[in-house]
Amino acid sequence: MATFRRKVSVAAGRAALQSWSEGDGGRNNMATAVRFALEELTSRAPGNSVEVRVPPYGVAQCIEGPRHTRGTPPNVVECDGGTWLGLVTGTLDWDDALNAAKVSASGSRADLSGYLPLT
């Protein structure tokens, strides 16, 4: 398994999440918070079987299992930045987000409820 390297420092990521929780929805803050949370998920659930997409901020592969290398992966989770951060911080429940169509999850491994919230 490859060594995991963060692009967003833990301190900067936590600060961005805190600012977001306090109402700072600015693009730069949102980008830092989303990228940090994607990196945090990857560090806690390493692997390549699920692709988590949060356009336009970032994408991550996580969770152990079969690796997919060509075309659209069979296990994909996609949502907007606000939804992702709500899931990460626990202000939004996974099942509620699915039922409200705020998150799209396809594939047998695309259930992130066991990994969220991260904080």
Side-chain angles (χ1 to χ4, degrees), residues 20-21 83-94 116-119:
W20 179 83
S21 295
T83 299
W84 175 243
L85 295 179
L87 292 167
V88 164
T89 60
T91 59
L92 180 60
D93 178 73
W94 175 259
L116 300 170
L118 293 176
T119 58

Side-chain angles (χ1 to χ4, degrees), residues 31-42:
T32 300
V34 167
R35 290 175 185 142
F36 169 72
L38 288 169
E39 290 176 358
E40 189 65 17
L41 175 64
T42 300

Side-chain angles (χ1 to χ4, degrees), residues 61-75:
Q61 290 188 347
C62 58
I63 304 176
E64 289 183 8
R67 180 182 180 100
H68 180 80
T69 57
R70 298 187 129 184
T72 301
N75 300 290

Side-chain angles (χ1 to χ4, degrees), residues 48 57 90:
N48 295 298
Y57 303 109

